[in-house]
Amino acid sequence: MSRDMSGQAAIPRDNVAGSVDDDFESWVRASHPRLRRLAYLLTGDLDQAEDLLQSAYAKVLPRWKKVSTYNSPEAYMHRVMVNLRTSWWRRSRNREWSTGEIPEAARRATIPDEGDAVVQSQVLLAALRELPERQRAAVVLRHWCDLSEEETADVMNCSVGTVKSNASRGRAHLRAALTQSPDVSGAQKGDPR
């Protein structure tokens, strides 16, 4: 066993790195379900959510020794995820992308006979995907993650007023989408049968 100048046993460098890695790994295991849901709500796609979450973890790992001292490392992770998603969106907004279905056919298709809750959740997720990135982030962080306006503003790196306006616009869009959504029988809500 090696000793330092004071005669005390020196801690091998590998053990320090190992303990940081173990600490990070246990934090990842504990936070993964919540952060995965957030990533899904930010992206609207399970594969992109996994990519977003892994990229965010990769960004946090080299800084973990400092991040682990924060009051809420998860809040730091929220900010990293929102920033990453925003940068991906900015890079890809002018590109074409493939979809699982032809948009015109999806509008004409009838909704299969499923429970109202399932239909509503699918309509809500579709409407959430249509929101601009800042509105989606504000709605998800405020209403899904249950963050305060101040915490959301901190994560989004903007003012509380910006959070309020983005969340308000996002909720209005979601309300309109749910009002216009077809119900289980295929009729528009509010339309006489």
Side-chain angles (χ1 to χ4, degrees):
M1 176 173 288
S2 65
R3 305 235 177 232
D4 64 8
M5 292 180 152
S6 66
Q8 303 235 347
I11 299 173
R13 198 77 169 132
D14 294 339
N15 289 346
V16 172
S19 68
V20 169
D21 289 344
D22 292 342
D23 182 39
F24 181 73
E25 186 176 333
S26 64
W27 179 77
V28 166
R29 289 182 197 279
S31 65
H32 186 266
R34 291 182 306 278
L35 293 174
R36 185 173 183 229
R37 283 189 298 269
L38 172 62
Y40 179 72
L41 290 170
L42 288 173
T43 61
D45 178 76
L46 194 55
D47 292 331
Q48 286 182 11
E50 289 293 335
D51 290 345
L52 176 63
L53 187 55
Q54 292 304 317
S55 296
Y57 280 138
K59 279 195 165 287
V60 170
L61 177 59
R63 298 173 183 88
W64 179 247
K65 191 172 182 180
K66 182 177 180 181
V67 171
S68 65
T69 64
Y70 294 166
N71 288 338
S72 177
E74 201 162 312
Y76 180 80
M77 188 69 163
H78 289 173
R79 175 177 270 189
V80 169
M81 291 170 68
V82 167
N83 290 346
L84 273 172
R85 177 61 184 149
T86 301
S87 344
W88 290 359
W89 174 78
R90 284 182 180 146
R91 280 191 301 241
S92 69
R93 68 180 164 185
N94 293 327
R95 295 184 190 151
E96 294 180 9
W97 63 91
S98 62
T99 62
E101 51 194 29
I102 300 170
E104 294 80 21
R107 278 188 225 121
R108 288 188 298 253
T110 59
I111 296 176
D113 191 13
E114 298 178 271
D116 285 339
V118 173
V119 172
Q120 287 296 324
S121 68
Q122 293 301 317
V123 169
L124 183 61
L125 286 173
L128 196 59
R129 282 186 211 108
E130 293 176 11
L131 288 178
E133 289 299 313
R134 301 284 286 179
Q135 289 179 17
R136 181 187 306 172
V139 168
V140 168
L141 292 170
R142 283 283 293 128
H143 302 289
W144 182 266
C145 295
D146 202 26
L147 297 182
S148 70
E149 289 170 342
E150 292 79 16
E151 292 169 327
T152 303
D154 187 45
V155 169
M156 291 178 63
N157 198 23
C158 64
S159 70
V160 171
T162 302
V163 169
K164 288 179 180 180
S165 64
N166 278 312
S168 175
R169 287 184 191 125
R171 285 190 312 266
H173 177 79
L174 294 176
R175 255 186 245 108
L178 289 175
T179 304
Q180 297 299 319
S181 71
D183 64 14
V184 177
S185 65
Q188 292 287 328
K189 287 190 177 183
D191 289 348
R193 287 213 98 219

